Amino acid sequence: MRRLAVSILLTALLLSGCGAQMSPDEAQESIQVLAMDTAMLITTYGERSPAAAYACEDAIRDLEKQLSRTDPDSEVSRLNASAGEPVEVGEDLGVLLELAKYYHGSTGGAFNIAVAPVVSAWGFTEDSFQVPSQAELDGLLELVQGPSYIGPRSSGGTICYSLGPGQAIDLGGIAKGYAADKIVKVLQEHDVPRANINLGGNVLAYGDRPDGTPWRVGIQDPARADEQNAFAGVLALTDSFAVTSGGYQRYFEEGGKRYHHIIDPSTGYPADSGLTSVTVVAGLGGGDGFPGTMCDAYSTALFIMGEEQALAFWRDETQRGEQGCPFELVLVTEDGRVVVTPSLADRFTLEETSGYTLEVVPS
C-alpha cells in the first residue's frame, strides 16, 4: 500500500470573521498551487495582495524548474548526470549546495542530500516502491558517505560544482524551506502586512492575523494522518516558520511492514528513531539569513536522530547564543508523548482528544 498526502499536512487554521467590511490592509488574496510534489496554499493581505500572491507562485515555480530531480532539464538533473564533470550552477543552487554542506556538518551527517541514490533504490523518487537488498544498499552507501560534491569552482566567471561518479543529490529536504525564505522577500517587496503561506509541511506565519492575534498552525497527528483536521496540537505564531517532517507523510507497505521516505544516510533504511514527527520553529531573523531552509533541514535531521539526540542538538545550538541559529521544537513520539521546548510552551496547545501526553523540556 502506498500513501502520498496531497492535502496540506501542517495546516494553518485561518479563522476569519463573517460579514465584516475589511480595510484595504486586510484585503485578501488566496491561491492554491501544486508544485514540488506538494499542494500549497498562499494567502496574502493588503492592497497589493493579488500581485504578491502570484509573485510568490512565480518564485516557487522558478525554483522548481531549477531544483527538481525529476525534471531532466533542471540544474540539479544536469549536475546528477554530469558523471564527475564540473557543471555551471545558478545562484540559487549554489546557495543551497553550500547550505546543505553546512547542515551536513552541523548535524553530524544526519542531513545528507547525497542520499538520493538510496532513496531511488527504495522507489520513492520514481513511485515504484520496493525493498532493496542489503547488498545493493551497501554498494549505494559508499556513494553517500564523505563529501558528496566538490565546489564551488570558478571557471570563466561562472560557478561550477561536480559530483563523484555514480553520485546524485536530492534537495527535497530543503527546497521548500528555501522557497519560503524567498517568499519572505517577495512579501517585503510588495509591502504585504500579513500572510499565511503553507507549502505542505512548511508554514510561514508572516505578521499577525487581521484581528491582531497570532496565526494558529495545527500540527498533524501522525497517528491520524488520514484525517485532515486531526491535530496533535496547535501553535500560535507570528513572524515565524514552522516545518514538520514525519514518516506518515509518504510510505508504502510490504510484507506487513511499513517503510517511510525519510532515509537514515548511515544505514540506508527508513529512520527508526522513536519519533513520528518533528516540527522546527524559528523566527524570520534566524538561521543565518535562511531560517526557513534551516527549519526544513533540521526537521529531517532531527527526525533521524531521535528524541535524545535531537534535544541535545537543540541545547547545543541554544547555548551558542548569537553565534547559533535559535529554533524551538515540537516532537511527537511513538509512545504517545508530545515534547515541547520551553519557549514554545505558552504558544502550544495540546489537542485534548489526541490522547497524547504533553511534556515541556526543562529550561
Side-chain angles (χ1 to χ4, degrees):
M1 183 183 111
R2 167 190 177 264
R3 177 180 175 275
L4 171 59
V6 178
S7 62
I8 297 170
L9 296 174
L10 185 63
T11 303
L13 305 176
L14 309 180
L15 307 179
S16 58
C18 298
Q21 186 174 1
M22 301 180 73
S23 72
D25 282 346
E26 294 170 350
Q28 174 184 326
E29 183 72 18
S30 188
I31 62 174
Q32 292 183 327
V33 177
L34 184 60
M36 298 183 176
D37 200 24
T38 302
M40 303 178 177
L41 181 63
I42 298 170
T43 304
T44 55
Y45 292 78
E47 293 181 343
R48 301 182 65 191
S49 57
Y54 287 101
C56 291
E57 179 183 5
D58 290 343
I60 292 168
R61 296 203 183 281
D62 180 61
L63 285 175
E64 184 177 39
K65 290 179 182 179
Q66 299 177 61
L67 307 179
S68 172
R69 188 181 165 208
T70 57
D71 181 350
D73 296 323
S74 74
E75 290 184 19
V76 165
S77 291
R78 292 200 298 272
L79 183 58
N80 286 342
S82 64
E85 295 298 318
V87 173
E88 179 182 348
V89 304
E91 179 180 353
D92 290 317
L93 179 54
V95 167
L96 276 172
L97 289 174
E98 290 306 301
L99 288 172
K101 187 183 298 183
Y102 172 79
Y103 298 138
H104 179 271
S106 66
T107 62
F111 182 81
N112 191 334
I113 62 174
V115 77
V118 180
V119 175
S120 289
W122 286 91
F124 285 111
T125 304
E126 296 79 10
D127 286 348
S128 56
F129 305 105
Q130 61 181 352
V131 178
S133 68
Q134 187 61 56
E136 181 181 6
L137 289 177
D138 289 343
L140 293 174
L141 284 174
E142 295 181 3
L143 302 174
V144 174
Q145 307 307 318
S148 56
Y149 46 87
I150 300 173
R153 298 174 177 174
S154 179
S155 176
T158 63
I159 299 300
C160 299
Y161 283 81
S162 60
L163 299 175
Q167 290 187 318
I169 61 170
D170 188 331
L171 294 173
I174 52 175
K176 288 186 289 183
Y178 185 70
D181 284 325
K182 299 272 282 190
I183 284 172
V184 170
K185 296 180 181 179
V186 172
L187 298 176
Q188 292 170 341
E189 291 169 357
H190 286 77
D191 296 320
V192 170
R194 55 183 53 87
N196 192 287
I197 311 297
N198 193 319
L199 306 184
N202 290 246
V203 167
L204 165 60
Y206 187 82
D208 53 16
R209 291 169 57 200
D211 63 2
T213 61
W215 296 102
R216 299 181 63 207
V217 179
I219 297 177
Q220 178 75 45
D221 180 358
R224 299 179 291 164
D226 292 324
E227 302 177 35
Q228 184 175 1
N229 294 318
F231 304 117
V234 177
L235 285 163
L237 299 177
T238 301
D239 283 334
S240 299
F241 295 90
V243 180
T244 294
S245 292
Y248 63 91
Q249 294 174 336
R250 191 174 187 181
Y251 63 83
F252 71 95
E253 293 182 356
E254 184 172 311
K257 185 173 181 179
R258 177 179 294 189
Y259 300 93
H260 62 74
H261 74 293
I262 303 179
I263 302 298
D264 184 340
S266 68
T267 67
Y269 281 85
D272 184 13
S273 66
L275 296 175
T276 55
S277 81
V278 172
T279 300
V280 181
V281 179
L284 299 190
D288 291 337
F290 297 94
T293 312
M294 176 195 71
C295 289
D296 209 0
Y298 286 171
S299 67
T300 300
L302 301 188
F303 181 89
I304 292 170
M305 290 182 190
E307 179 182 353
E308 183 176 347
Q309 290 187 45
L311 291 177
F313 181 82
W314 165 78
R315 291 188 183 96
D316 288 344
E317 291 295 302
T318 300
Q319 290 172 0
R320 291 174 61 196
E322 294 182 0
Q323 298 291 321
C325 305
F327 61 90
E328 301 297 329
L329 299 176
V330 179
L331 311 178
V332 183
T333 71
E334 289 181 351
D335 60 5
R337 294 174 295 121
V338 177
V339 181
V340 179
T341 50
S343 291
L344 283 182
D346 61 351
R347 292 182 283 165
F348 179 82
T349 302
L350 184 71
E351 173 56 52
E352 293 182 357
T353 62
S354 67
Y356 290 101
T357 301
L358 177 63
E359 292 184 9
V360 178
V361 178
S363 300

